[in-house]
Every structure is written in C-alpha cells, then in structure tokens.
Amino acid sequence: QYELQMSNGATAYCDGIQGLYNVWDGTANASTSRRLQTMVNIRGYRLYTTGDIYFAEDHTASSTVGEFIRAGTDFYVSGIHLNRNLSFLNVNTGETPRVYGRVYGTHAVNLEQ
C-alpha cells in the first residue's frame, strides 16, 4: 500500500540515518541532516501489475471495494486529487503480485533542518 505522510508536524529532531525521508548533506554525522519533502496529495499514477489485484483510491482495497485489475495490465489516471492512499490486494490467495510504476503528486512545503 502506498500512503501519504500526513501528520500534525515534523518531529524536532532530524538525523540522516532515521529513514527514507532523512538524508545527510555530506559526510554522515559530520554534516547537516535534512528531512526530504513528502507527498501530501496524489494527482495521478501510471502503474502495472504482474498478477490479478483489487485496487482502490482513498479506500482499503477488498473484493467489494475498488476495482478488479487483471494480471499484465497497465492502468493510469491523471487530474485527480487523493488525500489518503492507493491500496492493492492480491485476488488469489498465496500469490504475491508486483505492482510498480509512478505516482505523481504535490509535496509538503515546510521542512525542518
């Protein structure tokens, strides 16, 4: 599941090794660390699935919520405004389809250093 990072604000401490959105400007532990921008709105996507999936926008995908997408399908949309997530669920028990591609959106403005 791809989720937006929504919170009441960034934590006061930022360390370049803390995770995906934290980086060092130079040498680790000897330079400024910075929090990278996170996406706050999904505006479009272009995806491909290797297996049958259920797919939902701004909901948790299930067999009753969302859309059935067949294996080997490219699917895309633009001009949307989603605030929560893109959710995927494998149709066939025991299978682990791979969903990959690009997600487009807008980013947060305020970052801490």
Side-chain angles (χ1 to χ4, degrees):
Q1 180 161 304
Y2 178 87
E3 293 188 356
L4 298 172
Q5 299 296 310
M6 305 296 283
S7 67
N8 292 332
T11 59
Y13 178 73
C14 178
D15 186 329
I17 199 167
Q18 281 185 310
L20 181 63
Y21 297 108
N22 296 279
V23 296
W24 296 104
D25 283 344
T27 305
N29 298 309
S31 65
T32 303
S33 57
R34 177 175 318 277
R35 186 172 289 113
L36 298 176
Q37 293 180 339
T38 57
M39 195 176 296
V40 295
N41 290 299
I42 298 171
R43 296 297 177 94
Y45 53 84
R46 177 175 291 279
L47 302 170
Y48 174 83
T49 181
T50 62
D52 294 345
I53 61 169
Y54 296 112
F55 171 71
E57 299 173 341
D58 272 352
H59 295 283
T60 300
S62 71
S63 60
T64 57
V65 175
E67 177 181 358
F68 172 76
I69 308 285
R70 188 167 304 283
T73 301
D74 285 306
F75 55 108
Y76 57 91
V77 69
S78 62
I80 58 174
H81 183 80
L82 303 177
N83 294 312
R84 188 169 157 218
N85 65 16
L86 301 176
S87 180
F88 316 94
L89 176 67
N90 57 315
V91 170
N92 302 307
T93 303
E95 289 185 2
T96 52
R98 182 173 172 220
V99 178
Y100 58 93
R102 295 180 182 198
V103 176
Y104 306 96
T106 57
H107 295 275
V109 176
N110 296 325
L111 303 175
E112 292 192 22
Q113 291 186 4

